[in-house]
Amino acid sequence: MTLNQYIYHLQTIPRSDQKRLIIPDTKVKWSAPWPEYNPPEYSSPSLKGQAWADLEISEQFAPTFNQMERKDDHVVRNRVSYMGDYKVLNGYPINPVGRTGIKGRGLLGHWGPNHAADFIVTRWLRDRVNGKQILNEDSKKPILQFIGIQRRHGNEWAIPGGMVDAGEDPAHAAQREFLEEAMNSQELDPKNLEDLMETVQEMFDRGITVYQGYVDDPRNTDNAWMETTAINCHSEHGCLEHWQLQAGSDAKQVTWLEITSSLNLFASHINLIELVANHHKAHW
């Protein structure tokens, strides 16, 4: 799952007209000689002036890569990669996986790793009459469902999730993003939000991390890339039936989706879903 196959075959940076340099399969790895490699550089104009975004690298702005940046004992930027130390060349961080065909930050706010968290809530598909697990006819394995959202940008179906704030625990970020996107928590008054948290907290506390590391993402560049913590929260006996799903924040729709290898999901989310299916020995 730490390959750039999606990236270097996607020629245009999302939400822009910027083209990537086409990269042969044999040239993705930095270890493959390519002395003439000189991709175009692009950082979205939408990043300028944003308080959460880095500045352009210069003598006045030189991030301390492979470290936690702190101010007054508070983490203000996490530049540590789950993949270990990454190279820095001429002041610029280098994608640890390989060439992407584009330099700069693209759409990403930070040079180097940009940390996200994804929350995968699952349940078994059951017969409505007798409550028994439904098996796939071919694999004879039980079928899992997960709560998926349709993104406002691009309309792709995806796992609920989003960016981790500076100093925030990834598990907390995953839960926060799930509540915002799949249960529209931002529109609730404090009392209703408190009631919602009481409903879901026990389930949240049973979540397990199924992946933490680099992820294939259409926003990745040679100098900025996505990494995620994927957490699976599974209901074994139908305690999620009373959860009221309502799309909010970056989501336009939310629903239960059956897990199968034919799902068409955003970026590399299908790989995360496959990990969950394998963990539960479910149909894939």
Side-chain angles (χ1 to χ4, degrees):
M1 199 164 81
T2 55
L3 297 178
N4 272 359
Q5 292 179 340
Y6 183 90
I7 303 306
Y8 66 84
H9 287 303
L10 186 69
Q11 294 186 17
T12 304
I13 296 291
R15 287 177 258 166
S16 78
D17 296 324
Q18 178 63 55
K19 302 288 187 181
R20 295 178 184 271
L21 178 69
I22 297 176
I23 302 179
D25 292 358
T26 57
K27 298 292 187 181
V28 174
K29 294 294 184 182
W30 294 111
S31 58
W34 193 358
E36 66 274 22
Y37 178 69
N38 186 27
E41 184 172 351
Y42 177 76
S43 292
S44 173
S46 66
L47 299 176
K48 292 182 179 180
Q50 299 293 339
W52 47 265
D54 286 340
L55 301 175
E56 294 302 308
I57 291 177
S58 65
E59 291 183 1
Q60 291 73 38
F61 184 76
T64 52
F65 294 114
N66 291 304
Q67 296 182 40
M68 295 274 195
E69 294 183 345
R70 299 177 183 273
K71 182 178 181 181
D72 298 329
D73 293 327
H74 296 290
V75 175
V76 295
R77 192 78 77 226
N78 179 6
R79 301 195 190 276
V80 177
S81 171
Y82 296 134
M83 306 295 290
D85 284 356
Y86 47 89
K87 293 182 179 179
V88 180
L89 182 64
N90 298 323
Y92 289 85
I94 302 301
N95 188 310
V97 171
R99 301 179 176 99
T100 67
I102 194 81
K103 293 187 291 188
R105 281 177 296 158
L107 288 173
L108 296 176
H110 304 147
W111 297 101
N114 290 253
H115 296 102
D118 298 301
F119 206 62
I120 308 169
V121 176
T122 55
R123 70 181 183 186
W124 295 112
L125 179 64
R126 295 181 181 275
D127 188 290
R128 291 182 178 273
V129 177
N130 58 31
K132 292 183 178 180
Q133 294 178 0
I134 296 177
L135 307 183
N136 177 267
E137 292 183 358
D138 296 323
S139 68
K140 308 303 181 185
K141 292 183 177 181
I143 299 171
L144 270 179
Q145 294 179 304
F146 81 101
I147 295 176
I149 61 163
Q150 188 178 28
R151 295 163 55 93
R152 291 190 185 277
H153 294 295
N155 293 320
E156 301 110 320
W157 286 90
I159 300 165
M163 305 307 295
V164 178
D165 294 335
E168 185 180 21
D169 176 50
H172 179 270
Q175 295 173 11
R176 170 176 52 78
E177 291 288 344
F178 175 84
L179 290 173
E180 291 175 2
E181 295 182 335
M183 304 189 86
N184 200 21
S185 62
Q186 289 176 310
E187 299 300 319
L188 297 179
D189 60 44
K191 179 61 171 68
N192 286 333
L193 180 58
E194 182 180 350
D195 292 343
L196 173 62
M197 287 305 302
E198 289 181 0
T199 302
V200 302
Q201 192 60 57
E202 181 181 355
M203 189 69 187
F204 282 180
D205 289 343
R206 297 205 301 266
I208 61 168
T209 299
V210 293
Y211 180 79
Q212 190 171 61
Y214 182 103
V215 284
D216 218 6
D217 190 285
R219 296 164 291 186
N220 288 352
T221 74
D222 287 1
N223 309 118
W225 58 91
M226 291 295 303
E227 300 186 6
T228 199
T229 299
I231 296 173
N232 175 219
C233 188
H234 180 69
S235 170
E236 190 69 36
H237 301 292
C239 67
L240 306 181
E241 302 303 325
H242 60 285
W243 282 21
Q244 296 182 358
L245 302 180
Q246 182 180 359
S249 186
D250 297 328
K252 60 186 295 186
Q253 290 190 70
V254 58
T255 192
W256 287 97
L257 298 174
E258 289 186 19
I259 290 181
T260 170
S261 59
S262 62
L263 280 172
N264 185 17
L265 300 177
F266 171 73
S268 61
H269 283 195
I270 189 67
N271 301 103
L272 300 175
I273 294 297
E274 182 179 8
L275 288 175
V276 170
N278 291 338
H279 173 77
H280 293 287
K281 297 180 172 54
H283 168 68
W284 179 250

